Amino acid sequence: MRDALDATPYDALLLLSFGGPEGPDDVVPFLENVTRGRGIPKERLKEVGQHYFLFGGVSPINDQNRALLDALRKDFADHGLGLPIYWGNRNWAPYLTDTLREMVADGHRRILVLATSAYASYSGCRQYRENLADALAALEAEGLELPRIDKLRHYFNHPGFVEPMVDGVIQSLAELPEEVRDGAHLAFSTHSIPTASADTSGPAEAHGEGGAYVAQHLEVARLIADAVRERTGVDHPWQLVYQSRSGAPHIPWLEPDICDHLEERHDSGAPAVVIAPIGFVSDHMEVLYDLDTEAKAKAEELGLPMRRSATVGADPRFAAAIRDLVLERATVERGQEVTPCALGALGASHNVCPVGCCPARAPRPAAAGVDSPYA
């Protein structure tokens, strides 16, 4: 972690997240925001929203972001880093544009953005950058002075993100019956995306099958599996699996699906499985429904002992990692030397997204990149 607590030239940090409904009446309007422009009928959205209604129409993501905000503010205050932290969402209140407007009114002109997505992909990075560009365009239309916005690099392999997940897997293994514990398989789960999106994730020169999205997840899975082996003395078989597919059946998405994987593990004689949702920062709806509800039901149907390990959430080590990333980026912006903190073979990700990084199907302006119209 950095010793010099100088965030110059930055004067604020923005926590940027997906957002979620906070009551039954919010569910359909929230889904309308998420699917805007796709022409999906309201009746279909009501069907899609059933997993929210199972939880009272409330997504846990907003409360989890509030907890992360508290953890970040406490960590910054405890270490003497006087950087104010704001929060804005893409799809629900507090909305990104409203938060940026508030930040400008408060006098902030150099803003760092922390997105609650650790990996490279269109939906996990560039789409956030497009939303930032949309918000800046709205402020420009209002005649406001625009801030300069930079985005923190991908933090998938920062020790403050990886180490809490290692602890979570070890804790889940300990909760399994002793007779199946050592033979348990590890299923590292993340959000499935179209294979075409995966193949073009990351910088253009690195594009290939699965792109950076798959490569980064495989790296985190390997780091966790290696750490579990070192700390327990047991080498658990593992695989990267996917969940939360939402696209048309004829479009190829990343596989295997977690429930299909559980069936395969059962049929191959695996005595137990620990699911580690490494693709998610917190226990939001995709974790609660797709893993704690659907995957759990599948495991029970199969008679397969299963545990689900914790996401990073508001772990103090994650908050400390964000402080480290803020100070690292500030040092770079001041033109000083810095050693990025990253585990594994992939090294630290880029600070500024290059042209052709995680392209969209239809080109749109995106902030905080080489091709940003808001330099």
Side-chain angles (χ1 to χ4, degrees):
M1 299 299 174
R2 315 296 160 186
D3 294 324
L5 299 181
D6 183 4
T8 308
Y10 297 107
D11 54 27
L13 176 68
L14 169 62
L15 174 64
L16 177 57
S17 193
F18 192 81
E22 300 200 77
D25 293 341
D26 297 343
V27 173
V28 172
F30 163 73
L31 292 173
E32 287 175 334
N33 288 341
V34 174
T35 61
R36 183 175 289 114
R38 301 184 202 173
I40 300 177
K42 183 170 290 189
E43 290 306 312
R44 175 58 182 152
L45 293 179
K46 289 180 180 178
E47 295 175 14
V48 172
Q50 286 305 310
H51 57 286
Y52 286 101
F53 292 122
L54 288 175
F55 295 89
V58 178
S59 168
I61 193 170
N62 280 348
D63 277 346
Q64 289 162 4
N65 280 322
R66 293 181 183 104
L68 179 56
L69 277 174
D70 289 343
L72 290 170
R73 286 167 177 158
K74 181 180 187 304
D75 179 90
F76 284 19
D78 287 349
H79 292 86
L81 180 59
L83 195 69
I85 308 173
Y86 294 74
W87 168 37
N89 289 324
R90 289 171 46 193
N91 298 298
W92 202 248
Y95 288 103
L96 169 59
T97 301
D98 296 336
T99 300
L100 275 183
R101 187 183 296 110
E102 177 187 359
M103 297 177 82
V104 169
D106 290 345
H108 299 299
R109 297 295 180 268
R110 288 296 303 271
I111 297 171
L112 259 179
V113 174
L114 162 65
T116 54
S117 175
Y119 302 86
S121 71
Y122 170 72
S123 57
C125 183
R126 185 173 178 90
Q127 193 169 17
Y128 281 89
R129 294 174 48 225
E130 290 175 354
N131 295 144
L132 285 165
D134 291 343
L136 289 170
L139 299 189
E140 186 175 41
E142 295 171 12
L144 298 178
E145 182 179 352
L146 298 186
R148 173 173 166 178
I149 292 180
D150 293 325
K151 180 178 173 291
L152 288 174
R153 65 175 172 88
H154 301 301
Y155 46 84
F156 64 94
N157 57 357
H158 195 288
F161 184 69
V162 174
E163 289 168 1
M165 292 191 290
V166 173
D167 288 350
V169 171
I170 291 174
Q171 177 62 38
S172 292
L173 286 167
E175 293 171 359
L176 286 169
E178 187 174 358
E179 63 271 18
V180 300
R181 186 178 304 150
D182 285 354
H185 287 227
L186 307 180
F188 295 104
S189 186
T190 190
H191 208 301
S192 184
I193 61 175
T195 56
S197 294
D199 291 346
T200 56
S201 60
E205 64 271 15
H207 289 170
E209 186 175 359
Y213 187 75
V214 172
Q216 290 171 0
H217 280 89
L218 285 172
E219 179 77 341
V220 172
R222 183 188 63 76
L223 288 167
I224 296 173
D226 288 351
V228 169
R229 182 183 65 250
E230 291 169 7
R231 288 173 53 179
T232 67
V234 180
D235 191 6
H236 292 273
W238 63 269
Q239 186 170 339
L240 179 63
V241 300
Y242 302 92
Q243 61 176 89
S244 312
R245 177 188 170 128
S246 59
H250 68 280
I251 298 175
W253 283 52
L254 293 172
E255 297 177 334
D257 175 78
I258 177 59
C259 289
D260 294 339
H261 178 72
L262 291 176
E263 288 191 352
E264 292 168 1
R265 293 306 92 208
H266 173 262
D267 293 346
S268 68
V273 172
V274 167
I275 302 175
I278 62 172
F280 307 94
V281 171
S282 64
D283 289 4
H284 51 60
M285 188 56 72
E286 280 85 353
V287 176
L288 291 188
Y289 185 76
D290 296 326
L291 298 183
D292 293 354
T293 304
E294 286 195 328
K296 180 181 178 182
K298 173 58 69 174
E300 290 174 348
E301 172 192 323
L302 296 168
L304 180 66
M306 186 270 280
R307 297 293 184 275
R308 195 270 293 174
S309 67
T311 52
V312 172
D315 190 289
R317 289 168 291 183
F318 182 47
I322 300 308
R323 168 170 43 88
D324 182 68
L325 291 168
V326 166
L327 297 173
E328 173 192 300
R329 183 60 184 275
T331 303
V332 170
E333 290 300 304
R334 294 195 300 268
Q336 299 170 334
E337 291 292 324
V338 63
T339 301
C341 189
L343 298 173
L346 295 182
S349 185
H350 48 261
N351 279 318
V352 182
C353 292
V355 175
C357 192
C358 305
R361 286 188 293 270
R364 285 180 55 193
V370 171
D371 55 354
S372 171
Y374 300 102

